[in-house]
Structures are given as C-alpha cells and as structure tokens.
C-alpha cells in the first residue's frame, strides 16, 4: 500500500515512539539568526510527494530516494520544522551535534519514510553536513527545545505524527490514487484531508499541476492546529499525484567514500 508501513510494524513503532519520544540555512527557508532567536510557536510537518520529487532525476546514487525501492511511495517526510506565527522560523540553534547512533533504533524507518531526494546535502549552519537527517537536525531539530530536547525525541516524534495522521492513506481511501495522467480537483484533495483531520492542509505544487508538498501544523502539545497562511496556494484547480518511478543506481558507478558525492 502506498506510503504505509505494514500493520505489525506500525503497531510496534507507534507505542515505541510514544514511550521514548514523549547560518547559511537561512538562505533555504529564511529563518532568524542565532542572535535574535526566541522559542518557536508551532510545528510544521512537511510531506513531500515522492512521485513529484522523482519526476526528474539528474543524479542517481545510493543516498537518493528516487533510486531506492525501499523508500516509501506516496508522501514521505520532508521536514519537521519549529516555526513562528509571523511566517519566520528559528534555525541553527544551540544543541548537540548530530549523532547517528542516538537514532539507530529507528534508522530503518527514517531511511524509508524520511529520505533525501538528491545525491548531496547542502551546508547547514555554515558547515558541511554528511546526510539529509544531519541537515534537518542541525537546521531545525536543534530549535525544537524545550518541547523536544534531543535527536531521538525529534525524529521519533516526526515519525509518530507521520504515521498517526497518514495523509497518503487518507487520500487513497477518498479515491485519490497515484497517476501520471489523471488530474484531481485540488478542492477535493483539500477537503478529504480536512474531513479526516479537522484542519486545512497547505498544498504546494511544482510547475502547472503536480503536488509537491502538503503541510499540516501542530501546537507545542503536538495537537493538530490550523496552519497560519501567508500567501495563497499557487496550485491550479486540477492537480496531479504522479507515480514514483524508481531509477536504478548504475552498477558501473564508482562512488567516493563520503556520502552524496559521485565520481563517474
């Protein structure tokens, strides 16, 4: 099923997450600098549609979710962002350096449901970052305190919310299935999510019609709330949910020893 963990896996994962889980980056999202940051106001869970993310793959490598069959189809996590009510956000806050070992127990789920769709990670907070998850922690996760105080809490909470409010499953049940040819009414997709969750999603598109991202928001007790809106959606009235086509990693490629860099 699109975007879903198997039922046994979800039954095991959700209690585990609930048990253990209860700057140059400003150029990417435009956040506050270290000198003037204050505690955030709410969380944004941003979900990328894998078919749109993989519609044009320039580089194929082991770190690119478009080149891996183990990455979920449907929506995957793009980010879990502490935000301000005025449309800005904190970034690169004080916090522990990213440590893969601290999230090893959920690394399999993160690889499947929070993938990168590229072969390299941009610098975060003025330094080289070796992975997509390291970028997310340095740029956004460090600003989630005091609600989420460490890496395990940050990543496990995002996974828990992703599974609990399964947008892919909501749309499938409403008849919105991945297709490269069918266009769906944007209002219908928005209504299906609002009817299921009680809040209005923010929908973003690529080009003329493919849905690129859907965002839902949470207060600092991790309850759903309406997202502040600062600009109207640029999506057309009819949108697509493209099928994810997996591009295979070339067997003749010679990858350098550090992540995300190709040597052809």
């Amino acid at each position: 099923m699109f975007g879903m963990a198997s039922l046994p896996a979800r039954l095991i994962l959700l209690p585990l997450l609930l048990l253990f889980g209860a700057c140059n980056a400003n150029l990417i999202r435009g956040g506050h600098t270290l000198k003037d940051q204050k505690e955030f106001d709410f969380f944004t869970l941003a979900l990328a549609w894998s078919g749109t993310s993989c519609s044009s793959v320039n580089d194929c490598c082991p770190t690119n979710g478009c080149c891996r069959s183990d990455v979920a189809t449907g929506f995957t996590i793009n980010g879990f962002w502490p935000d301000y009510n005025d449309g800005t956000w904190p970034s690169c806050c004080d916090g522990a350096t990213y440590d893969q070992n601290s999230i090893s127990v959920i690394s399999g789920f993160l690889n499947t449901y929070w993938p990168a769709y590229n072969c390299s990670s941009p610098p975060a907070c003025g330094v080289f970052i070796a992975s997509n998850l390291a970028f997310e922690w340095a740029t956004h996760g460090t600003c989630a305190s005091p609600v989420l105080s460490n890496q395990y809490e940050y990543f496990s909470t995002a996974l828990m919310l992703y599974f609990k409010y399964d947008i892919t499953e909501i749309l499938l049940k409403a008849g919105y299935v991945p297709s490269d040819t069918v266009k769906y009414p944007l209002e219908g997709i928005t209504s299906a999510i609002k009817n299921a969750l009680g809040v209005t999603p923010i929908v973003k598109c690529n080009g003329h019609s493919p849905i690129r991202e859907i965002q839902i928001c949470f207060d600092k007790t991790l309850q759903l709330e309406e997202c502040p809106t600062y600009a109207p959606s640029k999506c057309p009235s009819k949108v697509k949910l493209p099928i994810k086509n997996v591009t295979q990693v070339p067997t003749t490629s010679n990858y350098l020893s550090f992540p995300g860099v190709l040597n052809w």
Side-chain angles (χ1 to χ4, degrees), residues 1-262:
M1 186 173 293
F2 289 100
M4 296 279 288
S6 65
L7 182 59
R10 294 184 70 188
L11 292 176
I12 293 171
L13 177 64
L14 286 176
L16 179 67
L17 297 179
L18 290 170
L19 176 65
F20 291 99
C23 244
N24 288 340
N26 291 340
L27 297 175
I28 297 174
R29 285 220 312 139
H32 284 246
T33 63
L34 286 172
K35 295 180 180 180
D36 61 357
Q37 288 181 131
K38 61 183 186 295
E39 188 176 320
F40 70 98
D41 296 315
F42 68 98
F43 287 107
T44 298
L45 179 63
L47 306 172
W49 182 255
S50 60
T52 303
S53 298
C54 297
S55 60
S56 58
V57 180
N58 295 321
D59 294 322
C60 207
C61 58
T63 61
N64 190 333
C66 300
C67 312
R68 294 166 42 207
S69 59
D70 62 323
V71 169
T73 54
F75 285 104
T76 58
I77 301 173
N78 185 39
F80 187 49
W81 305 322
D83 281 321
Y84 295 132
N85 288 328
D86 64 2
T88 62
W89 47 86
S91 62
C92 302
C93 301
D94 292 335
T97 302
Y98 177 76
D99 178 11
Q100 173 63 36
N101 292 330
S102 70
I103 53 173
S104 59
V105 69
I106 56 173
S107 61
F109 291 98
L110 291 170
N111 288 335
T112 298
Y113 300 105
W114 198 333
Y117 290 114
N118 50 53
C119 290
S120 62
S121 297
C125 312
V127 298
F128 174 78
I129 295 295
S131 72
N132 178 57
L133 295 179
F135 174 88
E136 291 297 323
W137 169 252
T139 309
H140 304 291
T142 55
C143 301
S145 179
V147 178
L148 306 172
S149 59
N150 59 56
Q151 290 168 67
Y152 185 85
E153 288 184 354
Y154 174 71
F155 287 109
S156 65
T157 297
L159 279 171
M160 182 267 290
L161 296 174
Y162 168 81
F163 286 129
K164 184 176 181 180
Y165 304 105
D166 192 332
I167 303 298
T168 305
E169 182 68 3
I170 289 170
L171 293 183
L172 286 173
K173 287 182 176 179
Y176 299 107
V177 299
S179 173
D180 290 328
T181 57
V182 177
K183 287 188 177 182
Y184 300 111
L186 175 64
E187 183 178 353
I189 287 177
T190 301
S191 296
I193 297 172
K194 185 172 183 178
N195 290 340
L197 302 184
V199 295
T200 306
I202 294 175
V203 183
K204 299 186 176 183
C205 294
N206 263 12
H208 296 296
S209 62
I211 288 182
R212 172 172 55 89
E213 185 176 279
I214 283 181
Q215 298 177 359
I216 54 176
C217 297
F218 300 85
D219 64 23
K220 289 193 285 188
T221 68
L222 301 178
Q223 299 301 305
L224 283 163
E225 69 172 17
E226 289 288 339
C227 296
T229 56
Y230 307 105
S233 170
K234 295 183 179 180
C235 294
S237 60
K238 296 278 190 176
V239 295
K240 285 184 178 180
L241 294 168
I243 296 171
K244 178 192 173 187
N245 297 307
V246 177
T247 303
Q248 298 300 321
V249 177
T251 57
T252 57
S253 298
N254 177 27
Y255 298 100
L256 297 182
S257 60
F258 46 94
V261 179
L262 293 174

